[in-house]
Amino acid sequence: MINTAEVIDTGTSILFVTLDSLRYDVARAALHAGQTPHLAKILPGGAWEERRTPGTFTLPAHIAFFSGFLPKLPQPVQPPRLWECRPPAFKTVDDGTFVFDAPNLLAGLAQHGYRTACIGGVTYFSRETPLGSVLPDMFQEAHWRTEFCSSEPDSTRHQVDQALAVAEEYADRPLFLFVNVSATHVPHGHYTGDSVDSWHSQTAALAYADEHLGRLIDSLISQRRWLIIMCADHGDAFGEDGYHGRGIAHPTVLNVPFAAMLMEPAATLTKHDPSPRQ
């Protein structure tokens, strides 16, 4: 079980990756088919957890994440949260949960000496509109360029290059590094040569992103200890029961992959607990 309060107290850096729109069944199938070998090496127990997202599209999901509400296990009893906003006086919080006394996680981490940096992907991180400024404005610094978008076939490579540059710049202080991987968000038909996005093209997009995410994680943990959290913000419907897209309460949208792990500089995973924190 990950003690996030200890993680923050010791100044351990944090990498939080959201694989935008990635369905749980796609992530699981790609893993079992050997299409994501770099992720397979680091996932606790060699598997994704199936969880339920608190939001059905990018904006509400990420606002929930940064407020302390990560995807939940599909069961009545939930483990303690990884992080949580300071609650009212009548509520108790597990000793291992990081409690931030601030409006959101990013402001709370800044109070503990962390540099918070966002590597945007989809346009909710672009600042091209007032709504597209809400999420990046939570961070001390935010990066977004058109080549980070899902329409760019090599978007993850560009995002990882930027993430590594940020990590190098702040190698001497605790860092909260957030990456919103856009490759798994539509459009991704270009990964299979199709004009229509599908379950298969999202699988191909994840297989593409796997190599660069492996490069990112290998580089980061070569220097210091990291808490790494990876999940999807929501899924995407590709015609199941007549549904298409996101922003709908359908299992293809609600079910997302999740993983959390502490990784040491020697790339030694901590023992996986079958009931990890949220």
Side-chain angles (χ1 to χ4, degrees), residues 21-82:
S21 307
L22 180 62
R23 293 164 49 140
Y24 170 73
D25 58 353
V26 168
R28 180 185 61 186
L31 184 69
H32 289 173
Q35 294 174 281
T36 53
H38 296 89
L39 292 174
K41 289 191 301 183
I42 64 168
L43 292 175
W48 289 104
E49 289 184 9
E50 180 180 4
R51 295 213 174 189
R52 305 288 186 265
T53 181
T56 59
F57 65 100
T58 300
L59 182 65
H62 284 85
I63 288 177
F65 295 166
F66 298 147
S67 300
F69 304 98
L70 292 171
K72 290 182 177 291
L73 288 166
Q75 62 188 39
V77 179
Q78 298 292 320
R81 297 197 220 169
L82 282 177

Side-chain angles (χ1 to χ4, degrees), residues 221-235:
I221 65 173
S222 69
Q223 302 297 323
R224 49 178 160 167
R225 185 187 195 221
W226 285 81
L227 168 62
I228 299 175
I229 302 155
M230 295 186 294
C231 66
D233 52 348
H234 56 81

Side-chain angles (χ1 to χ4, degrees), residues 25 37 45 54-55 110 121 123 153 200 240 257 278:
D25 58 353
T123 53
H200 296 289
E240 294 84 359
Q278 296 184 51

Side-chain angles (χ1 to χ4, degrees), residues 71-212:
K72 290 182 177 291
L73 288 166
Q75 62 188 39
V77 179
Q78 298 292 320
R81 297 197 220 169
L82 282 177
W83 50 70
E84 182 174 349
C85 180
R86 179 178 59 78
F90 65 84
K91 183 181 178 182
T92 59
V93 179
D94 186 86
D95 290 342
T97 296
F98 169 58
V99 178
F100 53 91
D101 193 3
N104 58 66
L105 171 68
L106 295 317
L109 287 172
Q111 292 173 352
H112 286 257
Y114 278 73
R115 180 69 176 180
T116 63
C118 169
I119 313 300
V122 302
T123 53
Y124 278 110
F125 296 93
S126 68
R127 289 204 174 104
E128 290 190 328
T129 66
L131 202 55
S133 299
V134 171
L135 295 172
D137 281 353
M138 292 182 177
F139 291 80
Q140 292 169 321
E141 69 176 82
H143 302 268
W144 185 89
R145 302 194 299 273
T146 55
E147 58 262 40
F148 293 175
C149 279
S150 55
S151 56
E152 162 57 53
D154 212 9
S155 59
T156 311
R157 177 174 67 84
H158 295 300
Q159 290 183 286
V160 166
D161 287 347
Q162 181 66 68
L164 290 174
V166 171
E168 182 177 0
E169 182 177 359
Y170 299 107
D172 60 345
R173 64 179 295 185
L175 177 64
F176 181 87
L177 181 59
F178 169 75
V179 184
N180 171 245
V181 174
S182 68
T184 46
H185 185 284
V186 294
H188 40 63
H190 47 259
Y191 292 107
T192 53
D194 296 323
S195 58
V196 177
D197 302 307
S198 67
W199 190 95
H200 296 289
S201 62
Q202 188 177 72
T203 305
L206 178 59
Y208 153 74
D210 174 76
E211 177 183 357
H212 295 291

